[in-house]
Structure formats: C-alpha cells, structure tokens
Amino acid sequence: MARIVMKFGGTSVADLERIGNVARRVRAEVEAGNEVAVVVSAMAGVTNQLVGWCQALSPLHDAREYDAVVATGEQVTAGLLAIALQQQGVDSRSWLGWQVPVTTDDAHGKARIEEIEGAALIARMQSGQVPVVAGFQGLGPDRRVTTLGRGGSDTSAVALAAALRAERCDIYTDVDGVYTTDPRIVAKARKLDKIAYEEMLELASVGAKVLQTRSVELAMKERVRVQVLSSFEDVQGTLIPGGMLPGTLLVDEDEIVEKAIVTGIAYSRDEAKITVRRAPDRPGIAAAIFEALAGESVNVDMIVQNVSADGNTDVTFTVGRADLPRAQAALDEARARVGYAEVLADPDVAKISVVGVGMRSHPGVANTMFRTLAGKSINIQVISTSEIKISVLIGAEYTELAVRALHTAYGLDAA
Ligand code: ADP
Ligand code: ASP
Ligand code: MG
C-alpha cells in the first residue's frame, strides 16, 4: 500500500468519456489498497480559449482578472471527476486551490507555490476518500485566486506529493513518457526509460512542454519520485515486473549508466525577438533597457549586443511572446532615457536547444549543431549556452527541419 498523487493533463480529461476512464484508473489504484489524491488540468483547449478571451478584450489586461478567468477550467474538471468517481462507487471530493489551501506569492499569472496545507487532505485520504484537487491555481496573499503559469498543474501535483509525503507522483499525459524530442514532430523520437532531473529541468525550461519547469525543480529539491505515463494505455503506475518502466522516471544523474552526449532536443515557438537599434554605446545602456523591462515583469532570455563603429550599438534579445506588447510598451516609455533610434520586433522565431549532461565532458557539441544547421541553410540569429545546453534562435519556419536534422546528427533516431 502506498500514498500516491495522480495528475491528469488536459487531453486526459478532454471529454466525459475520458473523465470516466480516468475515474476507472483512479479506482484501480484505490482498489489496490493505495491512498490516492488526484490533480486535474482543464479540459484540452479550455485554458487556451480563456486566455484568448482575456487577450482579445485587452492585450495589457489586469493579471488578477486574468487569473479569475483562466483558473475556472480546473474547477470544472475537479468537480466532474469527483462526480465520475462517486458514480463508480469511490468516495471523492473536489478541492479548489483556496480550499486546500495552496498558498502562493502574489505574481498573478505566474505565481509560485509557497505552502500546501496537507493535514485535511491526509485525514480524508486515510478515511478512504479521494481528494480531486484543481491544478494550476492557488490563493495569493491578496486573498485572490492566482495561477501558476501555463502547464502549472504539473507543479501543483509535485508540490502536493511533497506536502502529502507521497511515495510517487504519477503524471498521466497523452504520450507514454519523455522522448528524445517531441514525438509529435519527430516520428523517430525515442522514449527514455529514465532521465536525470538536471536534463529534464533544462529540457523543460527550453520548451519541452511535457513537464512544467517548476515541477521538475520542485521534484529535485523535495526528492519526489516523478514518472510520466500515458493515460491512454492500459498500464498502472507501478513498475512492471522485471524492472521495465511503463513510462519515464526522473532520477539522479548517477543512476544513468550510459550517458549520452545529447539526451534530448527541444524547441520553443513561445519567444519573440526584439532588437533595439542604434542605442548609444556607453556604460549604463544595457542596464537602462533591461531595467525598463524588469519594471514590467518581462523576463528576458537570450541576449546579444553588436558593436558598431559610429558609437551606436544594436542590442538583440528574446522575451516570451505573450510579453511582447508589454515589452514594447516598456521600451517606448524608456526611449528618451535610452536614446535608441528604433525598436524592431519579430515574433516569427523559434529557439532550438540540445541538452545533455555528457556535454560537460565532450567537446564539439556546438560545432555539430552549427554545421548541421548550415547544411540545411538555416541561419542562426542568436546563440546562448549553459553547462549542459546549447540554444540557437532561428526563423520559425525552419523549426521542424532543424529539430529533425539535429535529432539525426546526434544519433538519437530510433532504429
Ligand atoms: P498535458 O495536457 O497532459 O499536461 P502537455 O500537452 O502539457 O500534456 O504535454 C504533453 C506533450 O508534450 C506531448 O503531447 C508532446 O507533444 C509534448 N512534448 C514536447 N517535448 C516532449 C518530449 N521530449 N517528450 C514527450 N513529449 C513531449
Ligand atoms: N490548464 C493549464 C494550462 O493549460 C494548466 C495545465 O494544463 O497544466 O496551462
Ligand atoms: Mg502540461
């Protein structure tokens, strides 16, 4: 008998039939004698629609009201799954973020969980009830609903598993694990039985949407045993006899015997490129530009600065695509202070990243990447690196071509 948290993503609860299947899967874990808490996302497509409505009304909408709107999707699925479980004879109750409570900081739209009060849920679980917790949402210090950023129910699930001292956190989704790259764009992507926390963290942070970055960070810090599984296949979360894993397990780096140089490739079309043209090349200019953006809570990712001969310089960087209107407004406002000539914005870019702990000890990884892209006549606009990752910015139209070519070049293709 174990205490487990099961998380079901949007496609897994996309309609009533699938919610019924999810309930059967939960019931099987309960019947096996486990104490189960469930975390659910909104039905597939619902959050996108809610976000779209906010943006259509006002691109610079109030983040508190955005949260009031987008948190609703998870309320619906939490209630529906509780009904489906009751219908199948399983005692169940839905819980919204404020009821648990899941307290967060005040960063509306991208809040961080500060604490989860687990006692009430543990008492219910011990009495045989299954709490169904609405993912993605929390309660801010202003006593208003907050949301955790897109994909945030993964983080709700891992944080809940830590708070409940659960033995496992099973993330059920629409693929049967973490692959060498997104299996939806590379047919030859290979499923990984295990992946190191560090690698999963990098892959998630550069766009592999299978897990939200913050969920991996939390799992690593709180030592939560996380596995990614398909909710569409007939497997339960336990190990198959013989040590085979049905999905992908997150592990410490030293548990991986054969370390590949490159473990995975990720892409992100969620960034936009901004170039600040002809800013005076003197101390304090970068500070003035990035202070203006920080003042609007715009995160900046890749940065390059070109030196030019006439005392002016171009600074190019990327921001989240959703932040583009706010970034442009902030730069407009700072124009007199910075003294630049113009701002160019290009949303049609993609960031392609290769990740692997083996890079620490193997030179030439960047070289392979640049040569492969050159071979496909793909121009590299910006480059950034970390100890176990190399990222390049390219035109969005080359995303799939680049990912497939790199997947082959690093020997990741399935036989
Ligand atoms: P959920 O709604 O269950 O949270 P998501 O859409 O957020 O599901 O995440 C699952 C998706 O992540 C998959 O359908 C797949 O297209 C995408 N994905 C991107 N990179 C990877 C990867 N390396 N391995 C597996 N899936 C990936
Ligand atoms: N429903 C939210 C989203 O689409 C949270 C999640 O799915 O994890 O971003
Ligand atoms: Mg997700």
Side-chain angles (χ1 to χ4, degrees), residues 370-380 394-395 397-398 401 405:
F370 304 152
R371 219 177 334 97
T372 304
L373 296 175
K376 299 284 177 194
S377 303
I378 298 171
N379 188 39
I380 298 173
I394 62 172
E397 66 271 34
Y398 301 114
L401 177 63

Side-chain angles (χ1 to χ4, degrees), residues 66-315:
Y66 166 94
D67 279 348
V69 174
V70 302
T72 57
E74 275 71 11
Q75 173 161 350
V76 172
T77 42
L80 288 175
L81 182 57
I83 293 174
L85 282 164
Q86 291 170 4
Q87 162 77 16
Q88 292 184 29
V90 178
D91 185 14
S92 178
R93 185 61 64 210
S94 68
W95 294 75
L96 299 180
W98 64 269
Q99 290 171 309
V100 176
V102 176
T103 50
T104 71
D105 65 12
D106 63 357
H108 281 277
K110 44 186 159 191
R112 285 169 76 100
I113 294 177
E114 286 182 341
E115 212 190 329
I116 296 184
E117 186 51 59
L121 295 191
I122 289 175
R124 301 283 184 121
M125 290 163 81
Q126 284 170 339
S127 74
Q129 197 176 73
V130 174
V132 181
V133 178
F136 185 50
Q137 52 172 260
L139 175 67
D142 54 3
R143 315 229 6 107
R144 303 195 67 88
V145 62
T146 53
T147 62
L148 309 180
R150 296 306 305 271
S153 4
D154 298 326
T155 302
S156 307
V158 173
L160 187 67
L164 300 178
R165 296 180 300 280
E167 240 153 87
R168 285 190 345 244
C169 181
D170 294 344
I171 307 275
Y172 285 93
T173 183
D174 58 359
V175 284
D176 62 349
V178 178
Y179 279 70
T180 46
T181 191
D182 188 344
R184 289 189 201 292
I185 72 162
V186 179
K188 290 179 177 165
R190 267 189 297 117
K191 193 189 81 129
L192 301 163
D193 275 348
K194 296 179 181 178
I195 185 166
Y197 287 110
E198 291 85 346
E199 289 173 325
M200 192 61 240
L201 189 62
E202 283 284 4
L203 280 172
S205 74
V206 293
K209 291 191 175 149
V210 61
L211 288 175
Q212 197 197 32
T213 309
R214 179 78 186 125
S215 73
V216 185
E217 215 171 80
L218 256 182
M220 202 164 146
K221 180 164 153 270
E222 304 283 341
R223 314 237 29 101
V224 177
R225 182 188 158 93
V226 173
Q227 55 182 335
V228 178
L229 302 151
S230 166
S231 68
F232 294 88
E233 278 166 36
D234 193 22
V235 290
Q236 286 295 327
T238 41
L239 291 182
I240 292 170
M244 277 275 295
L245 294 166
T248 301
L249 184 64
L250 269 54
V251 297
D252 286 324
E253 196 179 319
D254 51 19
E255 280 186 53
I256 294 177
V257 192
E258 292 224 356
K259 290 189 180 60
I261 299 173
V262 168
T263 304
I265 301 176
Y267 63 92
S268 167
R269 295 193 185 102
D270 294 339
E271 291 188 32
K273 183 177 77 167
I274 295 180
T275 303
V276 176
R277 293 260 300 131
R278 298 181 60 78
D281 195 6
R282 59 175 157 72
I285 286 304
I289 292 172
F290 295 114
E291 260 158 34
L293 296 167
E296 285 299 315
S297 301
V298 173
N299 287 327
V300 174
D301 179 23
M302 309 169 95
I303 304 176
V304 275
Q305 180 174 347
N306 302 319
V307 189
S308 52
D310 58 358
N312 288 311
T313 181
D314 293 350
V315 183

Side-chain angles (χ1 to χ4, degrees), residues 309-343:
D310 58 358
N312 288 311
T313 181
D314 293 350
V315 183
T316 298
F317 50 89
T318 63
V319 300
R321 197 177 288 192
D323 283 344
L324 188 56
R326 269 188 303 132
Q328 284 174 301
L331 291 169
D332 259 1
E333 196 271 325
R335 182 166 191 167
R337 263 175 290 141
V338 180
Y340 61 79
E342 62 175 333
V343 168

